[in-house]
Amino acid sequence: MPQTLRQLLKEGPPPAAAGHRLVHGGPELRSHTLLDDAVRARLTQVAELAPLHVPQALTVMDAARELLPGVPHVACFDTVFHSGLTPAAREYAIPADWRDMYGLRRYGFHGLSYAWALARTAELLGRRPEQLHLVMVHLGGGCSACAVRNGRSIDTTMGFTPLEGLVMSRRSGSIDPGALTWLLTRKHLPANEIEDVLNRRSGLLALSGTSGDTRNLVRSRTAGDERAALALDVFTHQCRRGIAGMAASLSRLDALVFTGEIGEDQPEVREEVCAGLSLFGLTGGLRPLVAERPEIVSEPGARVPVVVIPTGEAQQIDVETRALLDRG
């Protein structure tokens, strides 16, 4: 990794700052922050909450700090966008000492993606972010939905870790916790095996038996693969449930926003999701495009516009890094 960074630095102008994406900030890091040794030490403590993301990000961060010791480094957290979740959406119904001692609560993720998509949606609709009530869906390797009211996240499907919520490419999404305690206590499966299966060997990959990529599954379904069809049916069903749940936190729905790799380049998935949500004023008949820029893909005059925003996490890190340094 250091060699890759060295090559990158040779090819471009010297950077004035470095912004880093961190999926989880834990209970203490609730705003984008200038990285120092104290913040770095805290990040080690939260790495276990997002094992697919944070350890790798810390490896890159450490290499970047070593190679660029003279520039400010900023840690940008996906959890910041959801820092204002309502108590009703934030709290788990578990004993208070668990919540207080272990920080067990819903944090929400994909926040950098949602922040970028919110701003682009506002521009597309000709309104300010704080005027909008939206359901936003990030569909990619990880998947989540989010309710935005007056420009702020008030509910989301992911929780304490990025494993909760919708079915994902290789992650299970939500599963009955009783099933997990049953596997632990009755079938004596090791906890680390359960964790590995749920994070790396579940989701679309497990349902189809062949792939966690919806593009492959759409092709396989067309060719008559019943397991691929099942995987897509479960995936789109869970998406609809997530969207419906988020809409229940809003008093109106100004638009449904898709982002993430699947959200922007898989029109079949968008179509199947929206076609089953007529109760919320959504319909099928979307334009089947692969979005290269923000687009409204629903028919003109649709009661609820369907918007597709290309993923912009890297661009949002740039925005947040510049904003933090300007304030400082």
Side-chain angles (χ1 to χ4, degrees), residues 88-326:
R90 182 185 66 223
E91 300 298 339
Y92 289 117
I94 54 177
D97 56 345
W98 282 18
R99 288 180 275 133
D100 297 338
M101 186 179 303
Y102 304 120
L104 286 174
R105 48 156 288 187
R106 312 189 72 229
Y107 290 94
F109 303 95
H110 294 132
L112 293 164
S113 174
Y114 285 135
W116 178 260
L118 171 60
R120 306 289 81 72
T121 299
E123 292 171 355
L124 191 64
L125 299 180
R127 300 168 72 178
R128 296 192 306 275
E130 58 269 25
Q131 295 176 313
L132 293 173
H133 287 213
L134 306 171
V135 172
M136 310 179 76
V137 190
H138 178 106
L139 302 179
C143 301
S144 69
C146 171
V148 170
R149 183 171 64 207
N150 300 329
R152 297 176 61 87
S153 170
I154 59 166
D155 200 357
T156 189
T157 56
M158 280 184 169
F160 181 64
T161 75
L163 186 58
E164 186 179 0
L166 309 182
V167 172
M168 308 177 216
S169 178
R170 292 171 178 262
R171 279 175 262 168
S172 64
S174 293
I175 181 172
D176 180 355
L180 303 182
T181 58
W182 181 80
L183 290 172
L184 282 166
T185 62
R186 303 294 195 276
K187 298 304 176 182
H188 308 293
L189 264 65
N192 60 353
E193 179 181 345
I194 293 174
E195 183 177 49
D196 181 67
V197 168
L198 295 180
N199 277 292
R200 295 178 173 86
R201 292 186 276 150
S202 296
L204 289 169
L205 176 65
L207 287 166
S208 69
T210 56
S211 177
D213 189 322
T214 55
R215 293 167 296 186
N216 296 334
L217 297 178
V218 168
R219 288 191 291 268
S220 296
R221 180 178 63 180
T222 301
D225 186 331
E226 293 183 359
R227 290 188 65 181
L230 173 65
L232 289 167
D233 284 348
V234 173
F235 183 78
T236 54
H237 176 71
Q238 293 296 328
C239 284
R240 288 191 293 270
R241 288 184 67 183
I243 291 167
M246 295 302 100
S249 293
L250 302 174
S251 57
R252 67 175 192 270
L253 185 56
D254 294 327
L256 172 63
V257 181
F258 286 93
T259 190
E261 295 89 343
I262 297 172
E264 67 188 74
D265 69 11
Q266 196 68 66
E268 296 89 348
V269 169
R270 296 195 302 262
E271 178 69 20
E272 290 173 34
V273 169
C274 291
L277 288 170
S278 58
L279 182 65
F280 296 93
L282 294 154
T283 62
L286 307 177
R287 290 193 291 141
L289 56 81
V290 173
E292 297 181 355
R293 61 181 184 276
E295 297 264 11
I296 297 174
V297 297
S298 49
E299 295 181 351
R303 177 180 158 193
V304 177
V306 178
V307 175
V308 180
I309 306 292
T311 309
E313 287 162 324
Q315 296 95 314
Q316 190 63 30
I317 291 170
D318 177 65
V319 170
E320 302 293 357
T321 299
R322 291 174 185 272
L324 179 65
L325 295 178
D326 288 344

Side-chain angles (χ1 to χ4, degrees), residues 30 79-85 90 105 107 152-153:
R30 299 187 181 185
T79 45
V80 167
F81 187 74
H82 306 289
S83 60
L85 289 180
R90 182 185 66 223
R105 48 156 288 187
Y107 290 94
R152 297 176 61 87
S153 170

